[in-house]
Amino acid sequence: MESKHWSCFVAIVLGVLIFKMHIFVAFADQDEDIPHNEVRNWALKFGVDLWEFGRQFTKMNEIKNRFKDNDIEVKRKDGIILLRELAAEVKNFMDFKRNSVMRLMDSAEQAALSELEGQGQGESPMGGQQHYDARRINEYNADGKLADGARHMDIRFMRRFERLPVNLSLSSILVPHGVDLDEADVKSALQWSAHLDPLFQNNLEQDPALSWQYFGSSTGFLRRFPGTAWPPEGSKGSKLIHDFRAHNWFVQAASSPKDIMILLDASSSMTEKSFDLGMATAFNIMDTLGEDDFVNLITFSEVVKTPVPCFKDRMVRATPDNIQEIKSAVKAIKLQDTANFTAGLEYAFSLLHKYNQSGAGSQCNQAIMLITESTSESHKDVIKQYNWPHMPVRIFTYLIGSDSGSRSNLHDMACSNKGFFVQINDYDEARRKVIDYALVMARPMIMYQADHPVHWSPVFVAGKSGGLGRDSEYQRRLVTTVSTPVFDRRNHSVRVANLLGVVGTDVPIEEIRKVIPQHKLGPNGYSFIVDNNGRVLYHPDLRPLGDGNQYIDQLKPKYASVDITELELPETEIGNNNELIEINKNLLNEMRGDMIKPKEGETEFTVMNHYDDSKRVSTRTHRYFYGPIEDTPFTLAIVLPEKYGSHEFVSQQEIRHSRNNVTEYFKGDNWRVHPDWVYCEYNSVSDLEKERESSGEYSSRDQEPSFGSPEEQVLHFLSRAGRPGWKWMSVRPKSPQPHHNMHSGSNGNAPGSSHFGSQHSNSQGSRKAEPYFCDRTLIQSLVRDAMVTDGLDRNTTGSSSGKEDKQQGYQKFVVATSFVATRSGLLRWIDHVKRPDDTPEPHFSEDNVRAMDTSWYKRAIDQHSVEPDSFVYSVPFGSGYAIKSNATLVTASHAIFVEHRGHKAPAGVVGLQFQHDSLAKHFINITSACTGMTGCKRTCASDNLDCYVLDNSGFVIISEEMEHTGKFFGQIDGTIMDSLVQDRIYKRVTVNDYQGVCSDADNPYTAAGGILQPNRLGSWFFNHLLALSATWLSFMPASLRAWPQEEYTYDNEDVVFVDNNYSEEYEFGNEYNMQVDQEMDEFFTTADVEYTTPPPRQHKPHVGPRFSPDPQNARRCDLRTDLYMLQPERLNQGGQNNPLKGKLTNCHASGCERPFSVQKIPHSNLILLVVDTLCPCGSKQLDIEPLEEAGVIGACSTRRQGQEQESRRRPKKCINYHPEEIEIQQCGRGSTLLHMSGSVIVAHLLMVTVTFVLANA
């Protein structure tokens, strides 16, 4: 028995020793067991096979030779000359829009003057209904008859006008909530503004590129041309639009820049309901402000508090971020103590004074907005101390509720300080009445009647695109608005200064970009425009925050505010060269400063470019050329890649003298042109109609005469270009030079002498003078490209070996589509595999019609400087689970550069899409065999070797596990990926996205974010009853009309007229900020002021996949992600024949190691990675999901605070004073019982009844 135990023990010991010896030998020989020579040979054969196949199949050499067989030139670009040419085109385009608006302004002022004076002299007004209410247009009953009160309007669909049905002869009236079209002043404005319709129509004839034109009346209605029904077909909006008088294009045109201090009563004397209403009033005021304005809000009770700690003692620019920060902070305020009005007013006056004296802020209007429920005095002492006699600060007072004593005091404060008094009883009034302050600030400008400032709004997302592209119907376009004020020129018996309204027109960004042809900038070149505040009007990477369809449903724009420094991202991962990093950043900031001034210049620095929804990154050195667009607040920049952007390939085919019909090169349906580029186009609908009538073509009256596609439009013009008498019309019409009074305005004494009033009958210099425009260079380049690429799908003359290679290629790789895309925007393709009829996947041409904008085109051009004879390969992200259905396609692209006289320039890109499984099978066949004569121990077919093909961004192209396809390798084996970074095979690059979108469901200052917070609901009903009682009692002794206007007498003042003309740049430097803060600290030494408000909560980064929040709860946020770039020079250091060997050590308790081998795959952007899996090393995961920056979020983050210091340029004009303004007595209005909401009226009637019953009981 013992011998058996002993023998078992010996057997176990021997077994353990043998196992340990085997493991030791395996670990010791691991490095030798990875067949490095085989890895090198596998990569070489795989790369050469792919290159030879792609080279022959795409016929790249044949295309290049065809180009060289014709007249070609590689011409050097002069960036500054190109910039000046394009800036002049943009100026001309914008002049047309501005002149249209100025003509509308002149005609509106004359029409109002004639109509209103005629009424004053007893002349009968125009008879009948003179307007089309958009709510009642083409409204029919079930029996087909026009509904009562509705009007019929002939309409037809127009692409240019957001694809809506419109009438090009009539305007329609859109109405916000709370505006009654039967009120006397509204009816009067409707009557005289009807005279604008002929001018609307004439403007469109002179400039058919015009979009919506409109007159926004101060009385509340919007006259919009061309006429259309509201809401639009398919919209979920109501029949009422958002009140446009609070929009940027209206408010900023009506008033000069301003510094606004909002004082919100947060004392216990405010009821919770009143405070909510006061908050709503403050928020609505802030919503009217723009980027030229400065603002802050303080709350006061016993002490003064700044709700946003980082805004303490400061005025901040009224950007959307800053406004949102203030709103979030105010919602967390708690009511407490008694109201110290003196402390609040002293703080506001002192801060405004400091900004005025130091040259900061707007340096124009200054105002205090006081919002309270009650005050026992008019605070004349503190006002006299700080504001009299010159009254540099206007005071606007907002009474929440109807306290009669407070009403008198607040009315006195406003009227004594060139302000306005408003009484707010409900949320509707809080929205409608805040605009009164802008009408008051407009008075000096109106009284001088000398200047009509032209305002360009920030960009916003509007309706559907008007492009010809097949996908344009599903895209929304970006728009800016140009506007100018309309003054009342009448002589009144009492002193008034009335703003009649604002006229404007929308300017789609897609129309601006048409005059900056992409083909002149070349591949990976682009342009952008910034305004006087450094904010971007357009940029290829601009991604405005979604508006939740508020424009489509309510006509409410959501303005974008993105600085150029948030879009151009200087390279910050330059090894450890901190000096070079700072140089890159400084060059960007210097360029921004020059563009703000504005100043012409050029610079060069390296930036990061991200592709494919920020999953890939590359670096590229750019050359920037920038200069002003004259007579606008904008500066244009063009960007050319340093390596290849300074030369362009020139090859054109003369059409007029061609012996062949050039349309022969455009047969079939396997070609597309870039849908956003202008090859040729008619200047107006009427020009196209005339052409079709002369050709005998029929067009429907219900539909816009248009082309069905960009290709149809190109063929239309090509067929006419060869006809006798053809003219190119390659110069765009020039805008007529306006009379000097376009800038100075009319003096009002001779209404008939206005330049614009008489000009609308003169079409000289208008677009109407030429029926069409053709870009001769672009369309002749297109024809040459079509000739070169024509017939590539047919068998060409050649040796039989070529056909055999092609057949072998079909066997080797199953090609679905081959394609070529050229510098002229031409895309041609050949389908080699019949697509299933029921496939849900879009065809290649649908997703790639904008070929030059695609990732495969851009990357192929960049790859040429890395390895000229190569393809760029990619697979769809996360496509591994579609492998079994053969749905995954590999895209390969190669850039064709043509050389001439020692210089090279890109002519196009060729490529293939082939089935992934055929590529994987070929890879397995190569890597499963030994290529050497001596044989090899292991191959990729072995169990303990894993083989991967990775692209230059670290994504898996091929893996033994098919579900890995399209995944980031760091998610599969982060430990190896980390080692590849440490070995400098890949470079980890941190990319910041300053246009990220995060959820705003949680207020960063408090967990509750709503205006009506849950803890306030309990006392709402009781407080509301008290408010009703107080309101009723206040009305008992007083008239039901508004609080009566009082006569005010003022001492004679010696005030200097302020008409500032700003041409110099100014900026918020650190020295200035320190000075102001120190002065403010010295001033506030009492306990009246408190700065200790709760700071915003620290943000913890979100973990896991991110989802886009609902647009209603979305906010801008800073995201960051780590992306990866292959460093090919590292793999080429020892020659392509020597793979790099790596090893993971200390990754397991046993002490084993995991070796791996990396080899560059020639002629590609790929690497072959072979990993030994015998050692069971643990593996972490790396993620490329973007995460929100940790720390303080929002406007108080370090980066956003740094933006407050950046330079900006003030508007040229500031008109904030007129010596006779003090004679105007209109300075306030209250609410009347007749204007109250229905629920309040019912409550009052109920109270009257109860009072009567009790009195007679």
Side-chain angles (χ1 to χ4, degrees):
M1 191 71 177
E2 289 180 2
S3 62
K4 287 184 178 180
H5 285 297
W6 176 251
S7 61
C8 288
F9 174 75
V10 171
I12 290 171
V13 170
L14 287 174
V16 170
L17 289 173
I18 291 172
F19 176 75
K20 285 190 173 184
M21 185 178 299
H22 173 74
I23 293 296
F24 174 78
V25 171
F27 291 162
D29 294 341
Q30 272 182 329
D31 190 48
E32 286 73 18
D33 283 347
I34 286 188
H36 294 291
N37 287 335
E38 294 299 330
V39 171
R40 176 193 63 200
N41 294 334
W42 291 338
L44 181 63
K45 179 170 176 49
F46 187 60
V48 170
D49 282 356
L50 281 173
W51 167 249
E52 288 299 325
F53 168 70
R55 183 177 62 83
Q56 294 179 31
F57 207 93
T58 60
K59 301 184 179 178
M60 63 173 73
N61 289 334
E62 184 177 346
I63 293 173
K64 186 182 296 187
N65 290 332
R66 283 191 179 188
F67 272 122
K68 289 183 176 180
D69 290 341
N70 295 282
D71 293 332
I72 64 170
E73 183 182 1
V74 175
K75 190 167 63 174
R76 181 171 181 80
K77 291 180 190 173
D78 188 312
I80 286 292
I81 291 178
L82 179 59
L83 167 77
R84 291 170 181 168
E85 172 193 329
L86 296 178
E89 289 289 340
V90 178
K91 176 190 183 303
N92 182 58
F93 175 88
M94 291 183 166
D95 281 348
F96 268 107
K97 310 301 175 277
R98 183 181 53 188
N99 291 348
S100 295
V101 168
M102 300 305 288
R103 280 194 295 270
L104 286 175
M105 175 273 296
D106 259 350
S107 292
E109 291 185 354
Q110 292 167 35
L113 182 62
S114 303
E115 186 77 19
L116 296 175
E117 285 187 347
Q119 292 179 22
Q121 295 170 6
E123 297 179 11
S124 59
M126 297 169 60
Q129 188 177 12
Q130 292 298 318
H131 67 271
Y132 283 81
D133 188 336
R135 300 169 294 183
R136 308 302 310 278
I137 289 177
N138 296 346
E139 197 174 62
Y140 291 90
N141 296 323
D143 59 4
K145 294 183 179 180
L146 202 62
D148 292 341
R151 298 193 71 183
H152 174 77
M153 177 183 283
D154 291 328
I155 54 178
R156 63 176 175 177
F157 288 88
M158 301 286 288
R159 282 188 302 104
R160 176 163 294 153
F161 298 101
E162 300 173 358
R163 301 179 183 270
L164 296 177
V166 297
N167 183 293
L168 295 180
S169 302
L170 300 168
S171 62
S172 56
I173 302 300
L174 288 86
V175 185
H177 181 69
V179 175
D180 184 359
L181 295 184
D182 291 327
E183 289 186 1
D185 55 347
V186 178
K187 290 175 72 174
S188 175
L190 282 171
Q191 238 166 247
W192 65 256
S193 64
H195 293 291
L196 293 177
D197 277 6
L199 189 61
F200 282 140
Q201 187 177 358
N202 185 263
N203 274 346
L204 186 59
E205 290 174 359
Q206 293 197 40
D207 180 11
L210 274 180
S211 183
W212 301 103
Q213 304 173 69
Y214 33 81
F215 165 68
S217 172
S218 297
T219 62
F221 70 85
L222 181 70
R223 182 177 290 277
R224 193 176 186 223
F225 179 90
T228 186
W230 188 268
E233 185 177 345
S235 169
K236 298 179 181 179
S238 70
K239 288 183 175 291
L240 301 172
I241 64 169
H242 189 265
D243 197 332
F244 61 88
R245 291 172 294 181
H247 297 169
N248 180 284
W249 67 267
F250 188 96
V251 179
Q252 298 302 312
S255 58
S256 294
K258 43 203 165 290
D259 300 335
I260 301 293
M261 278 296 299
I262 301 175
L263 273 62
L264 178 60
D265 188 347
S267 66
S268 299
S269 60
M270 292 276 283
T271 64
E272 300 284 358
K273 176 67 175 177
S274 294
F275 186 70
D276 288 336
L277 196 52
M279 269 200 298
T281 303
F283 292 175
N284 284 317
I285 292 172
M286 289 189 288
D287 286 341
T288 66
L289 303 179
E291 303 248 353
D292 290 326
D293 303 323
F294 287 74
V295 68
N296 204 346
L297 182 148
I298 62 170
T299 60
F300 64 95
S301 51
E302 188 62 36
V303 293
V304 174
K305 292 183 179 179
T306 305
V308 183
C310 62
F311 293 175
K312 181 187 74 167
D313 299 343
R314 298 169 58 197
M315 303 287 291
V316 295
R317 283 193 286 178
T319 64
D321 289 332
N322 288 340
I323 295 296
Q324 186 58 45
E325 193 77 14
I326 294 173
K327 289 180 178 180
S328 297
V330 173
K331 292 175 185 178
I333 292 294
K334 305 292 185 183
L335 303 181
Q336 59 185 10
D337 303 330
T338 58
N340 188 340
F341 285 87
T342 299
L345 289 168
E346 285 182 342
Y347 178 87
F349 276 123
S350 298
L351 186 56
L352 290 171
H353 175 73
K354 296 297 181 185
Y355 266 70
N356 185 41
Q357 295 299 310
S358 62
S362 70
Q363 291 295 294
C364 194
N365 289 292
Q366 290 194 320
I368 292 173
M369 312 294 199
L370 177 62
I371 305 172
T372 183
E373 188 178 34
S374 64
T375 179
S376 59
E377 58 175 310
S378 58
H379 310 286
K380 287 186 177 180
D381 291 341
V382 66
I383 292 174
K384 184 176 181 179
Q385 177 185 350
Y386 286 95
N387 208 39
W388 289 1
H390 302 301
M391 287 182 283
V393 179
R394 298 176 186 268
I395 298 180
F396 296 87
T397 53
Y398 298 85
L399 174 62
I400 307 300
S402 52
D403 181 74
S404 58
S406 299
R407 180 165 55 183
S408 175
N409 291 326
L410 292 174
H411 189 273
D412 184 29
M413 290 175 66
C415 294
S416 302
N417 293 275
K418 294 195 296 186
F420 205 78
F421 163 75
V422 174
Q423 185 176 331
I424 305 291
N425 281 299
D426 56 41
Y427 290 98
D428 181 54
E429 289 186 344
R431 176 182 52 80
R432 285 190 294 111
K433 291 185 176 182
V434 296
I435 193 59
D436 288 338
Y437 87 83
L439 305 183
V440 172
M441 286 188 177
R443 286 174 178 173
M445 181 168 56
I446 299 170
M447 296 176 76
Y448 278 106
Q449 304 235 339
D451 285 282
H452 288 78
V454 175
H455 172 70
W456 294 82
S457 80
V459 71
F460 61 94
V461 180
K464 292 180 179 178
S465 168
L468 267 177
R470 293 164 175 80
D471 57 353
S472 296
E473 186 176 355
Y474 309 103
Q475 296 178 344
R476 293 179 63 186
R477 64 186 185 184
L478 294 177
V479 167
T480 180
T481 302
V482 56
S483 56
T484 197
V486 178
F487 304 152
D488 184 356
R489 297 183 183 177
R490 289 177 294 168
N491 292 320
H492 294 266
S493 57
V494 294
R495 192 61 163 167
V496 295
N498 295 332
L499 180 78
L500 297 179
V502 173
V503 288
T505 182
D506 285 346
V507 183
I509 301 303
E510 62 190 9
E511 295 292 330
I512 298 177
R513 299 186 73 166
K514 281 183 179 181
V515 300
I516 308 176
Q518 178 62 41
H519 72 90
K520 292 188 177 182
L521 303 176
N524 291 330
Y526 58 93
S527 63
F528 59 86
I529 292 178
V530 300
D531 67 9
N532 58 300
N533 291 305
R535 294 313 198 242
V536 167
L537 184 68
Y538 80 84
H539 186 285
D541 193 35
L542 178 63
R543 289 167 278 135
L545 199 63
D547 71 342
N549 281 342
Q550 69 181 31
Y551 178 87
I552 292 176
D553 293 342
Q554 308 173 52
L555 214 61
K556 179 183 180 182
K558 185 183 184 73
Y559 295 105
S561 176
V562 181
D563 196 88
I564 186 57
T565 56
E566 297 175 303
L567 295 174
E568 295 291 320
L569 305 176
E571 184 182 17
T572 56
E573 307 283 339
I574 316 175
N576 295 319
N577 194 337
N578 293 325
E579 183 179 353
L580 194 55
I581 293 173
E582 287 304 312
I583 289 175
N584 257 355
K585 290 181 179 179
N586 291 337
L587 287 172
L588 172 61
N589 290 326
E590 288 172 8
M591 179 182 73
R592 182 190 184 279
D594 284 349
M595 295 183 74
I596 297 301
K597 286 181 180 178
K599 176 182 174 183
E600 185 179 270
E602 61 181 286
T603 189
E604 180 179 310
F605 53 90
T606 305
V607 296
M608 294 184 289
N609 305 280
H610 56 84
Y611 305 104
D612 300 329
D613 296 326
S614 297
K615 290 184 175 67
R616 304 184 191 275
V617 67
S618 68
T619 57
R620 190 187 306 129
T621 301
H622 285 161
R623 300 182 67 195
Y624 295 83
F625 304 89
Y626 49 87
I629 302 171
E630 299 296 337
D631 299 327
T632 75
F634 301 120
T635 305
L636 171 67
I638 62 172
V639 186
L640 304 177
E642 182 268 336
K643 288 185 178 178
Y644 48 82
S646 58
H647 289 85
E648 63 177 326
F649 174 65
V650 179
S651 180
Q652 300 181 41
Q653 178 65 40
E654 176 59 51
I655 297 176
R656 287 192 297 175
H657 305 299
S658 176
R659 296 180 179 179
N660 301 323
N661 183 354
V662 294
T663 58
E664 293 295 316
Y665 305 117
F666 295 90
K667 286 186 175 180
D669 191 40
N670 67 330
W671 63 277
R672 296 286 184 270
V673 293
H674 199 299
D676 303 331
W677 293 10
V678 178
Y679 296 88
C680 288
E681 65 179 2
Y682 283 101
N683 284 329
S684 70
V685 171
S686 59
D687 290 326
L688 177 55
E689 285 179 329
K690 290 175 184 176
E691 169 63 23
R692 290 198 164 172
E693 287 175 4
S694 64
S695 303
E697 299 178 31
Y698 169 77
S699 60
S700 170
R701 289 184 59 83
D702 295 334
Q703 296 290 334
E704 172 188 13
S706 181
F707 297 100
S709 68
E711 293 74 35
E712 181 185 336
Q713 188 175 38
V714 166
L715 289 175
H716 172 87
F717 281 96
L718 286 178
S719 65
R720 284 154 175 76
R723 295 177 183 176
W726 167 263
K727 294 181 180 179
W728 273 112
M729 306 295 187
S730 294
V731 178
R732 294 185 182 272
K734 298 301 179 185
S735 173
Q737 290 300 315
H739 193 270
H740 63 85
N741 70 351
M742 188 194 79
H743 300 289
S744 62
S746 172
N747 58 15
N749 296 327
S753 64
S754 167
H755 170 69
F756 289 105
S758 60
Q759 192 198 35
H760 67 261
S761 62
N762 175 19
S763 62
Q764 184 179 4
S766 72
R767 291 175 182 264
K768 187 178 179 183
E770 297 177 351
Y772 58 86
F773 166 79
C774 276
D775 188 327
R776 182 174 182 175
T777 300
L778 177 58
I779 203 162
Q780 292 196 156
S781 299
L782 175 70
V783 173
R784 174 59 56 85
D785 291 354
M787 292 174 62
V788 168
T789 59
D790 182 45
L792 291 177
D793 54 333
R794 299 188 287 271
N795 289 332
T796 56
T797 58
S799 65
S800 60
S801 62
K803 295 181 180 179
E804 291 172 3
D805 288 341
K806 190 172 181 181
Q807 292 301 321
Q808 291 175 5
Y810 273 118
Q811 295 171 5
K812 214 178 276 186
F813 306 108
V814 181
V815 178
T817 305
S818 59
F819 54 87
V820 55
T822 71
R823 35 90 209 213
S824 65
L826 175 67
L827 173 69
R828 239 192 239 283
W829 71 90
I830 305 168
D831 289 325
H832 301 280
V833 176
K834 182 173 172 39
R835 297 178 74 243
D837 295 333
D838 58 346
T839 179
E841 296 297 321
H843 185 264
F844 170 81
S845 63
E846 296 177 41
D847 286 341
N848 297 280
V849 65
R850 296 174 175 84
M852 194 177 281
D853 305 333
T854 60
S855 173
W856 54 260
Y857 194 108
K858 292 173 177 288
R859 295 173 67 205
I861 297 290
D862 280 337
Q863 176 72 12
H864 184 270
S865 60
V866 177
E867 189 177 0
D869 294 338
S870 64
F871 279 88
V872 171
Y873 298 90
S874 62
V875 295
F877 299 110
S879 55
Y881 298 101
I883 293 292
K884 295 180 180 178
S885 64
N886 292 334
T888 298
L889 295 175
V890 181
T891 301
S893 57
H894 166 81
I896 295 178
F897 276 66
V898 178
E899 185 173 358
H900 183 256
R901 294 181 178 177
H903 297 292
K904 292 195 300 184
V909 171
V910 295
L912 304 166
Q913 280 196 331
F914 49 94
Q915 291 182 1
H916 180 274
D917 62 338
S918 65
L919 179 71
K921 286 176 184 176
H922 187 63
F923 174 75
I924 291 172
N925 290 337
I926 290 176
T927 57
S928 298
C930 296
T931 60
M933 299 297 293
T934 57
C936 54
K937 297 180 181 178
R938 292 191 289 177
T939 68
C940 288
S942 305
D943 291 338
N944 49 11
L945 281 186
D946 280 348
C947 297
Y948 302 91
V949 174
L950 308 182
D951 72 7
N952 56 335
S953 299
F955 288 90
V956 176
I957 302 294
I958 299 175
S959 169
E960 296 172 25
E961 302 292 335
M962 287 300 183
E963 61 268 19
H964 290 167
T965 306
K967 273 189 175 181
F968 173 57
F969 182 68
Q971 295 173 318
I972 298 166
D973 194 329
T975 308
I976 295 287
M977 191 69 197
D978 251 351
S979 182
L980 295 177
V981 172
Q982 292 170 15
D983 289 336
R984 293 179 289 116
I985 296 168
Y986 281 95
K987 177 175 162 184
R988 183 183 287 118
V989 179
T990 299
V991 179
N992 294 293
D993 181 4
Y994 301 125
Q995 300 180 84
V997 182
C998 300
S999 174
D1000 195 30
D1002 292 333
N1003 185 326
Y1005 291 85
T1006 177
I1011 289 182
L1012 194 62
Q1013 296 181 9
N1015 63 328
R1016 298 179 178 176
L1017 293 173
S1019 61
W1020 180 87
F1021 182 72
F1022 179 70
N1023 289 332
H1024 188 58
L1025 283 178
L1026 289 178
L1028 282 174
S1029 303
T1031 303
W1032 177 253
L1033 291 175
S1034 69
F1035 274 105
M1036 292 296 287
S1039 166
L1040 291 181
R1041 298 302 301 163
W1043 188 258
Q1045 303 276 338
E1046 295 183 12
E1047 297 285 337
Y1048 288 92
T1049 58
Y1050 300 91
D1051 296 329
N1052 291 330
E1053 303 176 10
D1054 182 16
V1055 184
V1056 178
F1057 164 57
V1058 180
D1059 183 3
N1060 297 326
N1061 290 277
Y1062 302 113
S1063 59
E1064 75 283 356
E1065 171 196 20
Y1066 76 97
E1067 52 187 280
F1068 279 23
N1070 291 330
E1071 295 179 359
Y1072 159 70
N1073 274 343
M1074 290 174 59
Q1075 178 185 357
V1076 171
D1077 290 344
Q1078 289 169 0
E1079 290 174 344
M1080 294 302 294
D1081 290 341
E1082 292 171 3
F1083 177 80
F1084 293 113
T1085 56
T1086 69
D1088 290 341
V1089 182
E1090 179 182 301
Y1091 299 127
T1092 55
T1093 51
R1097 291 180 294 130
Q1098 294 288 309
H1099 173 72
K1100 296 180 180 179
H1102 170 81
V1103 179
R1106 297 183 68 256
F1107 300 96
S1108 297
D1110 183 287
Q1112 301 300 327
N1113 293 320
R1115 62 175 169 84
R1116 276 282 180 229
C1117 59
D1118 291 353
L1119 302 178
R1120 63 180 296 159
T1121 183
D1122 287 336
L1123 300 179
Y1124 297 81
M1125 292 193 311
L1126 183 67
Q1127 304 297 290
E1129 64 277 3
R1130 165 70 170 150
L1131 291 168
N1132 293 336
Q1133 281 178 353
Q1136 287 191 348
N1137 294 330
N1138 296 317
L1140 287 177
K1141 304 173 184 179
K1143 186 180 294 184
L1144 294 182
T1145 59
N1146 301 321
C1147 63
H1148 191 261
S1150 66
C1152 65
E1153 298 174 338
R1154 172 177 276 186
F1156 58 87
S1157 182
V1158 184
Q1159 176 69 51
K1160 170 84 167 60
I1161 297 177
H1163 306 295
S1164 75
N1165 64 322
L1166 308 175
I1167 62 168
L1168 172 59
L1169 172 65
V1170 179
V1171 182
D1172 188 303
T1173 60
L1174 189 60
C1175 182
C1177 290
S1179 176
K1180 65 179 179 181
Q1181 279 199 341
L1182 300 178
D1183 203 353
I1184 56 171
E1185 279 290 325
L1187 300 176
E1188 186 170 8
E1189 289 274 18
V1192 176
I1193 63 175
C1196 282
S1197 66
T1198 302
R1199 188 186 70 81
R1200 296 283 172 90
Q1201 283 298 294
Q1203 281 190 326
E1204 285 294 313
Q1205 319 300 323
E1206 291 177 343
S1207 59
R1208 58 185 289 271
R1209 174 167 46 98
R1210 296 187 182 94
K1212 289 185 177 180
K1213 288 284 186 178
C1214 167
I1215 306 174
N1216 62 354
Y1217 172 77
H1218 190 283
E1220 298 176 9
E1221 182 189 352
I1222 207 162
E1223 299 174 9
I1224 298 177
Q1225 298 301 309
Q1226 296 172 343
C1227 61
R1229 59 175 179 169
S1231 291
T1232 68
L1233 190 61
L1234 298 177
H1235 287 83
M1236 290 183 182
S1237 63
S1239 60
V1240 176
I1241 294 174
V1242 171
H1244 279 293
L1245 292 175
L1246 179 62
M1247 194 164 290
V1248 170
T1249 304
V1250 171
T1251 304
F1252 178 78
V1253 171
L1254 292 176
N1256 292 278

